[in-house]
Amino acid sequence: MKKSIIDDGFQDYLVDGARFEGKDGIPCLLQTKNAIPASLIPFDKARTAKNKHGYLHFYVHDFKYQEILTNTKKYDETISQFDGIITPDPTITIGMPHCIQAASTYMNRAIGYYEQCKGVPVIPNIRWGDCSTYDFCFLGVPKHSVVAISTHGAIAKDKSNQNLLRRIFKDGLKKMLEVLEPTDVLVYGRMPPDIFEEFYGMTRFHRYPSEFETTHTKGIK
């Protein structure tokens, strides 16, 4: 009888030889030294980008990079053409089941580890939700390293809920800086002073305008 093989979608080869942290088994990235990227290039523009001098990022709609989460090897050649990558940014939203949130963090680190093992410079993207995600969303990232975050779509003002998203983002940023003590933080999107100013002495921030900013003359502060 032919053996049945079940594909769980997690591509076990991504984490061959990796260490894991926490009850959710988050893969650990390798401790490496990364240069600050000259630019950030959206993954969905990788094949058409004329300038390859920069890091690929995944701060785009999830469906635009969904395949790399299930067929990472397919993009080995594409990724190798760039200076490095920021790890994927699967959505973590408030109210999402814990298992799905943790799986998003798992894939972020698993793909990062896989690319590191292939010699690709990797900067971990850090994505958090509310305080219930703090027990796993910072795992697998070496302390005192370069990390990346995105404010695009994460700091919208909304008086009807007392700016809940904005407050959750700032609380998570503070926690991330305390836990990981990064040397540098790449910020994709806006850096409003009411969120970032009190943290200026804790690390070096490097801002990269979002694609929305570069194509719209008016944006949300």
Side-chain angles (χ1 to χ4, degrees), residues 197-211:
E197 191 169 34
E198 71 176 87
F199 306 123
Y200 286 165
M202 298 179 68
T203 189
R204 294 184 292 268
F205 291 101
H206 308 266
R207 191 173 99 79
Y208 298 80
S210 69
E211 190 170 18

Side-chain angles (χ1 to χ4, degrees), residues 115-178:
E115 297 298 344
Q116 284 184 321
C117 290
K118 294 188 70 64
V120 175
V122 170
I123 293 175
N125 166 64
I126 313 299
R127 171 68 67 177
W128 57 86
D130 59 23
C131 61
S132 68
T133 67
Y134 294 173
D135 64 339
F136 63 83
C137 66
F138 307 125
L139 295 179
V141 177
K143 294 184 70 169
H144 310 129
S145 60
V146 180
V147 302
I149 62 175
S150 171
T151 61
H152 183 61
I155 57 172
K157 291 182 177 180
D158 186 351
K159 293 182 179 180
S160 68
N161 62 12
Q162 299 180 317
N163 294 325
L164 178 63
L165 287 180
R166 209 172 176 90
R167 288 186 289 110
I168 286 175
F169 182 89
K170 184 174 182 178
D171 290 346
L173 175 60
K174 179 179 181 181
K175 187 68 173 180
M176 185 272 286
L177 293 172
E178 292 173 350

Side-chain angles (χ1 to χ4, degrees), residues 82-101:
F82 293 85
D83 294 343
I85 67 164
I86 309 297
T87 56
D89 186 48
T91 299
I92 293 178
T93 57
I94 301 168
M96 180 183 286
H98 173 95
C99 60
I100 298 177
Q101 293 176 324

